[in-house]
Amino acid sequence: MPEHVDAGTPDPAAPKERRKLFAALRWTAAVLVFAAVGTGVAYGISRAERTHVPGLSTLGDGRWTYPTLSRPALPVGAPLAKGPDNRPGTHYVPLTGLLLPAPEGARPDDAVKPDKDGSVSVDAFLAEYAPDRRAKLKEYLEYEGLRQLTGRGWTTADGTRTHAYLLRFHAEGFVDAFAGCSTNMQLAGAPVLEMDLSWRDVVSKQEQGAKRPEGVSLFKEPGPANGDEQTKLGCIEAGDVLSVIIQTRKGEVATVPFHQTVILQSQLLS
């Protein structure tokens, strides 16, 4: 059964718990394992059991239960995205294999409809943004280096809707220039965004020596739009790939599963 926060319950990420979040989630996705497979190299990420996660009790803390994560096989001779011999951070594996799967117990969200090969159209992706912002974003994506776009959507038992996208560009410079991840951007149904300061607090208070996720920017609505739903936006810049994660929930989007989703997607792209 998935672990979730019931609608209407307080946000589980109290300040004193946020200091432990990174230490816990580092073990949620756990250790990279390398093994030769056929003509390539496969590498996976395995989970630790809840009772083996340091810093947290076995009581529900709001995290979702994800399946064991694994990346597709690397072509022969291809470097890791963040390997020392791959300074541009190019990903040499299929983009669909790097997209975070839905957590256990979640149901598909038909608002994100990938093709049989996993591709999502530019127009479908841009439907996440306010109508008056789509034309300029589309022009950039079509003429400034977008190579591939994939996505997945799901809804968990607490009513949180997650739309996760990966955009592959010709080079990391195009990722940096994408304007869809900032407080100046308006999402459909979320006209105002601000920085998610709870993320900065988590990063600043994580254990000494812990590896910090790089290229992560998180945003949120100051409150539920029209008193109904709140939306949060997470963006991860990882070499030639940009991750865009949007979560929406009636009332408020819970902090822990939002941060967890971003961290696990970041690890898949590393």
Side-chain angles (χ1 to χ4, degrees):
M1 296 293 292
E3 297 158 350
H4 62 273
V5 182
D6 292 332
T9 58
D11 190 323
K16 65 180 180 180
E17 292 299 321
R18 290 176 185 149
R19 293 193 294 268
K20 304 173 183 177
L21 182 60
F22 268 99
L25 293 180
R26 282 189 295 118
W27 292 94
T28 303
V31 183
L32 290 176
V33 180
F34 297 84
V37 177
T39 59
V41 176
Y43 47 112
I45 306 173
S46 59
R47 295 181 313 184
E49 296 298 328
R50 287 190 56 80
T51 53
H52 297 158
V53 177
L56 291 179
S57 69
T58 56
L59 299 176
D61 63 359
R63 285 179 297 157
W64 295 336
T65 301
Y66 281 88
T68 299
L69 305 181
S70 62
R71 303 185 185 98
L74 279 167
V76 176
L80 293 170
K82 292 190 177 181
D85 52 350
N86 188 3
R87 294 186 64 183
T90 303
H91 291 79
Y92 291 97
V93 298
L95 194 62
T96 53
L98 296 175
L99 183 63
L100 185 68
E104 295 177 7
R107 64 181 186 273
D109 186 340
D110 292 337
V112 181
K113 296 181 179 179
D115 297 335
K116 291 182 179 180
D117 63 356
S119 298
V120 172
S121 70
V122 170
D123 287 336
F125 169 67
L126 292 179
E128 302 284 1
Y129 292 89
D132 62 346
R133 301 301 181 98
R134 295 172 189 170
K136 190 171 184 178
L137 288 173
K138 184 175 183 178
E139 181 179 3
Y140 179 84
L141 292 176
E142 290 186 341
Y143 296 103
E144 298 295 337
L146 180 67
R147 295 176 54 199
Q148 187 181 4
L149 200 166
T150 188
R152 175 178 289 121
W154 65 81
T155 302
T156 50
D158 69 341
T160 301
R161 301 191 306 278
T162 300
H163 295 172
Y165 300 93
L166 294 181
L167 294 78
R168 191 201 302 268
F169 291 83
H170 284 291
E172 61 180 333
F174 296 108
V175 174
D176 297 337
F178 179 66
C181 293
S182 74
T183 54
N184 295 323
M185 186 50 58
Q186 294 178 336
L187 297 176
V192 178
L193 293 174
E194 64 182 19
M195 296 297 298
D196 182 354
L197 298 182
S198 66
W199 174 258
R200 185 172 62 184
D201 186 54
V202 167
V203 172
S204 66
K205 294 180 180 179
Q206 66 176 301
E207 289 184 345
Q208 186 176 5
K211 183 179 179 181
R212 298 185 178 186
E214 299 175 350
V216 176
S217 301
L218 301 190
F219 311 90
K220 67 174 184 176
E221 281 187 282
N226 302 317
D228 187 12
E229 294 183 333
Q230 184 187 37
T231 297
K232 291 186 178 182
L233 168 67
C235 295
I236 306 166
E237 296 182 9
D240 61 338
V241 174
L242 172 68
S243 166
V244 177
I245 297 171
I246 301 169
Q247 285 192 350
T248 304
R249 181 176 182 244
K250 187 174 182 179
E252 294 184 354
V253 174
T255 299
V256 167
F258 177 54
H259 288 178
Q260 177 196 22
T261 301
V262 170
I263 290 170
L264 294 183
Q265 181 61 81
S266 175
Q267 290 179 341
L268 279 171
L269 293 173
S270 64

